């Protein structure tokens, strides 16, 4: 990254690169800059970043921030995750473009569940499984992300749900 920034912008040091990253992170409405996703993905989970990340997600509408926010495991995020899992995207391709990242809201919600497998999300996951949403558009990414979310749960009740999901999936093929 530093060499790329050095080539493009003429920065000569890591300090210059860090200054640019910090400026990008703390400047409002930068969600369309693809490098922001890289910065967010590599931020440590420290309290000092939570408020800014939440602001980017809630105020600026940068959806791909939700899984990173869920690493903080805050109660206020539960409804956001459930809303993301259930929200229907408006266009037929269901693509969201933030920072060059194209994802369906359901995938963002599933990624959030994968990093924060809270019991409150299980009824919504079952609803998704039973609704046939996973098989509607033949999206392998969606199915894979759904299984990653399920696999994050590690208890007997979740094991039985995984078993039923795999059985249902095999019957639908």
């Amino acid at each position: 990254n530093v060499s790329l920034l050095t080539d493009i912008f003429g920065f000569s040091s890591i300090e210059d690169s860090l200054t640019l990253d910090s400026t990008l992170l703390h400047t409002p409405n930068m969600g369309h800059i693809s490098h922001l996703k890289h910065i967010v993905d590599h931020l440590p989970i420290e309290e000092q970043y939570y408020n800014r990340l939440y602001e980017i997600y809630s105020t600026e509408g940068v959806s791909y921030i939700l899984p990173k926010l869920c690493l903080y495991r805050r109660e206020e995020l539960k409804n956001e995750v459930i809303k993301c899992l259930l929200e229907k995207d408006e266009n037929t391709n269901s693509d969201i473009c933030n920072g060059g990242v194209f994802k369906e809201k359901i995938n963002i919600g599933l990624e959030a569940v994968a990093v924060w497998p809270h019991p409150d999300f299980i009824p919504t996951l079952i609803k998704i499984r039973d609704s046939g949403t996973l098989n509607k558009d033949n999206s392998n990414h969606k199915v894979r992300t759904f299984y990653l979310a399920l696999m994050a749960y590690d208890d007997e009740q979740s094991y039985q749900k995984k078993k039923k999901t795999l059985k249902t999936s095999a019957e639908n093929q």
Side-chain angles (χ1 to χ4, degrees):
N1 251 355
V2 174
S3 64
L4 175 65
L5 293 174
T6 301
D7 293 343
I8 294 172
F9 298 108
F11 295 137
S12 59
S13 68
I14 291 175
E15 290 80 19
D16 288 340
S17 178
L18 292 174
T19 299
L20 177 64
D21 288 354
S22 181
T23 301
L24 186 58
L25 179 64
H26 294 286
T27 300
N29 300 313
M30 289 294 170
H32 64 284
I33 306 293
S34 61
H35 189 64
L36 181 62
K37 181 169 181 2
H38 174 78
I39 293 168
V40 169
D41 287 346
H42 290 87
L43 277 178
I45 307 305
E46 294 177 5
E47 196 59 37
Q48 65 186 4
Y49 300 117
Y50 179 80
N51 288 337
R52 178 61 186 137
L53 291 174
Y54 189 78
E55 180 182 14
I56 293 169
Y57 170 76
S58 64
T59 307
E60 299 174 23
V62 181
S63 303
Y64 65 75
I65 301 281
L66 185 60
K68 184 69 168 195
L69 281 171
C70 284
L71 291 170
Y72 290 89
R73 298 179 181 236
R74 299 278 177 91
E75 288 292 314
E76 66 198 38
L77 296 172
K78 284 183 191 176
N79 286 335
E80 294 296 324
V81 173
I82 292 170
K83 185 171 82 175
C84 216
L85 289 169
L86 295 175
E87 187 170 318
K88 301 286 189 250
D89 292 307
E90 295 187 12
N91 63 31
T92 53
N93 292 331
S94 301
D95 288 339
I96 299 166
C97 178
N98 282 318
V101 178
F102 296 92
K103 291 186 179 177
E104 291 181 272
K105 291 251 182 173
I106 189 172
N107 288 338
I108 293 167
L110 291 169
E111 289 172 8
V113 172
V115 299
W116 185 27
H118 196 280
D120 289 357
F121 304 143
I122 291 175
T124 307
L125 292 174
I126 292 170
K127 184 176 180 178
I128 291 168
R129 179 196 67 199
D130 293 346
S131 72
T133 301
L134 298 174
N135 298 327
K136 284 184 182 169
D137 60 2
N138 295 321
S139 171
N140 290 330
H141 180 71
K142 188 185 302 179
V143 171
R144 186 176 79 72
T145 309
F146 181 79
Y147 286 123
L148 287 174
L150 277 183
M151 297 309 288
Y153 291 92
D154 191 25
D155 58 51
E156 182 60 32
Q157 181 184 14
S158 297
Y159 174 77
Q160 295 304 321
K161 287 177 180 48
K162 291 172 200 173
K163 190 174 172 181
K164 182 177 179 183
T165 300
L166 289 171
K167 182 180 177 194
T168 302
S169 178
E171 289 171 356
N172 287 338
Q173 291 185 7

